[in-house]
Amino acid sequence: MIETEQLTRRYGNLTAVDALSIRVEPGQVLGLLGPNGAGKTTAMRMIAGFLVPTSGSARVCGHDVLREPLQAKRALGYLPEGAPSYGEMTVREFLQFIVRMRGLKGEAGYRRFDAVVQQLQLDDVLGLGIDTLSKGLRRRVGLAQAILHDPPVLMLDEPTDGLDPNQKHAVRQLIDVMARERTILISTHLLEEVRALCNRVVIIARGKLLADATPAELEARSRYHGAVSFSAPGSGMSQEMLGRLPQVAGIEIDPLDGRITVFPKPGARILEPVETLLREQGLEVSEIQLERGRLDEVFRQITSGDEATAGARA
Amino acid sequence: MSPVNAVLRRELRSYFVTPVAYVFLVIFLVLAGILTFYVGDFYERGQADLQPFFVTHPWLYLILVPAITMRMWAEETKGGTLELLLTLPLTLWQAMLGKFLAAWLFIGLALVLTFPIWITVNYLGSPDNGVIVAGYLGSWLMAGNFIAIGACLSALTRSQVVAFILTALVCVLLILAGQPQVLDFFQGALPRRLVNAVAHLSMLRHFEAISRGVLDLRDLVYFLFSTLGWLIAGVLLLDLKRTR
């Protein structure tokens, strides 16, 4: 479990994290989402005990990170931004160093070492210097470091940054498997990742919490939620007909590929009426799609709205 | 103490996988040899002791210890590994102690490797080996003090060059504090008691006392407190960094 209460961090006049209160329970994968410079990394560094908060507090598994730092750090597996590691060491030396630092002794240490090497497929590179590894491999070594002591709480700062699609998939699977009984907090600016991984999303910008919801709830905030889109050449005449349907709020046509999107009135379901109408008109529609909503649009709306109000205040 | 041990081993290993250790050992041993024989007149003095050898040590440390300690924290700060290290379950003290002990043991190894000169002087004459042991002890204590200064100043900056220069500067001031030229300079300006205090700050004076074979408690306490003081300052600096 991770809890923060009014967690605040200032650098001079700049407030990087502003009274952030969140609570992540076991079984949750919370995605901390925000534009660059929103305060994601600063918030994580405070929870990890690397930075001291200006005010407010953070607890990991009930241990205050300032008052019981060692207990909090023992409960936490942390992948810092950029997955830093000691370049002059080999992967084996580095992971053995972590084993010793985590106080894993004898048999237990070997077991965890082997398990993690297998989970992250590091067998082939154990003898290589970390300096010589690709970005993706280095990230995997960083992940191995974070999960080595099998922590109940996992905090990963941009875990898939710099990975290719296959590696991203592998890392997401790993997180998925680990998620079952653990508390996981990941930061990202990849919206696909949120949909793929997280069962809860917190959006922050300028250090402030702006939204706390499930990915589906966020998608429902999109104006695309429940919209129906299709491609149909020569459908100019049917637009008017579509617009006259009682459930329809509006219609847009993509100027590039001519794809038509029909927006519903709030709460209305329009897939069936639209389909019926198109069939009645005898229009050839190759494929028709019901939109779930666009996270990127919601994200932009939430985070840029904040900028506008902040600008108005300034 | 397990985290201290883990940090210590990691640091020592990093000395030896990078050229730092070998460059240091070769330069230290070669310079110590050359200075002892050519500047210290080891033969011409006609005395069976290692005084000409030990007097070179403060000056060797002045150049070589900052070279070892400059990377200690500056490199971790710059490379981002400081965040990794400080979010592992260990205290700042344990991290500092591990790094300090690694450097101190390493200098200890360098001192052990000067054993041929001890064999030489025993072959040529019959020196007081007790005095020689005291000399080695004093030299090692002084090295520890230099390392503590370097460790503290390395925590101050992310630039290794700045750490090197600051460390060398503080060390040279502490070496020279007891020299007559320096004391004469203060003689007119400061009251007598303060001049005496400056003289007592001199590392050279305490080192020379020990290396003559006089194990005075005051000299040992000087090195102990000074070393501890710089290490505490280093830990406080690191802690301060987390709040700024």
Side-chain angles (χ1 to χ4, degrees), chain B:
Chain B
M1 288 312 261
S2 167
V4 176
N5 194 12
V7 172
L8 193 162
R9 286 171 70 168
R10 202 206 72 74
E11 286 284 311
L12 265 184
R13 192 191 288 263
S14 83
Y15 290 159
F16 284 95
V17 294
T18 55
V20 173
Y22 304 103
V23 169
F24 180 95
L25 288 176
V26 168
I27 293 180
F28 180 77
L29 295 176
V30 167
L31 279 184
I34 288 176
L35 292 176
T36 304
F37 284 95
Y38 291 97
V39 183
D41 290 338
F42 183 61
Y43 288 132
E44 286 78 1
R45 289 169 79 237
Q47 287 182 31
D49 64 18
L50 284 183
Q51 275 310 311
F53 169 65
F54 287 122
V55 293
T56 64
H57 286 197
W59 308 101
L60 286 175
Y61 291 152
L62 178 63
I63 302 302
L64 291 174
V65 168
I68 292 262
T69 58
M70 63 180 189
R71 44 164 293 284
M72 203 176 264
W73 293 105
E75 193 179 50
E76 300 239 19
T77 309
K78 194 157 192 186
T81 48
L82 189 66
E83 185 174 1
L84 176 79
L85 184 66
L86 297 188
T87 52
L88 289 169
L90 88 170
T91 62
L92 280 176
W93 254 113
Q94 291 171 322
M96 183 59 105
L97 203 60
K99 282 171 176 275
F100 168 78
L101 288 177
W104 205 28
L105 284 179
F106 177 69
I107 304 261
L109 172 71
L111 283 174
V112 167
L113 289 180
T114 61
F115 70 90
I117 199 152
W118 174 72
I119 292 175
T120 306
V121 77
N122 271 279
Y123 176 77
L124 292 174
S126 43
D128 185 341
N129 279 317
V131 174
I132 291 177
V133 169
Y136 271 112
L137 178 73
S139 175
W140 197 45
L141 285 174
M142 182 172 58
N145 201 340
F146 275 38
I147 293 166
I149 294 168
C152 173
L153 295 174
S154 177
L156 188 69
T157 168
R158 57 195 294 141
S159 158
Q160 299 195 25
V161 176
V162 172
F164 180 97
I165 292 172
L166 284 179
T167 307
L169 186 71
V170 171
C171 290
V172 79
L173 287 178
L174 282 176
I175 290 177
L176 292 179
Q179 299 302 99
Q181 301 93 312
V182 179
L183 291 182
D184 284 347
F185 173 76
F186 284 120
Q187 208 85 54
L190 293 175
R192 196 171 178 76
R193 297 181 75 150
L194 272 179
V195 175
N196 274 341
V198 171
H200 278 291
L201 275 180
S202 163
M203 212 183 286
L204 214 51
R205 176 183 278 214
H206 296 283
F207 170 59
E208 277 167 356
I210 296 178
S211 67
R212 274 197 303 271
V214 188
L215 280 182
D216 189 331
L217 191 62
R218 276 175 300 181
D219 298 318
L220 297 178
V221 164
Y222 167 84
F223 281 117
L224 184 75
F225 272 65
S226 176
T227 303
L228 266 178
W230 283 100
L231 288 180
I232 291 171
V235 168
L236 291 177
L237 268 177
L238 287 171
D239 204 31
L240 196 69
K241 267 192 182 174
R242 297 169 59 226
T243 59
R244 277 199 315 142

Side-chain angles (χ1 to χ4, degrees), chain A residues 9 11 45 48-52 70 73-74 78 80 84-86 88-89 93-94 97-98 100-102 145, chain B residues 2-3 6-7 9-10 13-14 17 76 79-91 242-244:
Chain A
R9 171 79 196 195
Y11 296 102
R45 282 180 173 166
F50 179 57
L51 287 179
V52 176
L70 292 185
K73 285 170 186 177
R74 279 192 198 108
Y78 176 46
S85 50
Y86 294 103
E88 81 278 2
M89 297 176 107
E93 287 167 354
F94 178 64
F97 166 65
I98 301 292
R100 277 193 287 272
M101 290 296 286
R102 290 292 182 185
Q145 165 274 123
Chain B
S2 167
V7 172
R9 286 171 70 168
R10 202 206 72 74
R13 192 191 288 263
S14 83
V17 294
E76 300 239 19
T81 48
L82 189 66
E83 185 174 1
L84 176 79
L85 184 66
L86 297 188
T87 52
L88 289 169
L90 88 170
T91 62
R242 297 169 59 226
T243 59
R244 277 199 315 142

Side-chain angles (χ1 to χ4, degrees), chain A residues 26 31 33 62-63 69 89 92 95 113 117 119 124 223 248 278-280 286-287 295 298 303 313:
Chain A
L33 202 62
H63 302 293
M89 297 176 107
R92 178 182 288 109
L95 291 180
F113 182 91
V117 165
Q119 262 180 313
D124 299 337
R223 67 192 188 98
V248 169
L278 291 175
R279 214 178 309 117
E280 281 168 2
S286 50
E287 132 309 315
L295 274 182
V298 177
T303 54
R313 250 182 280 130

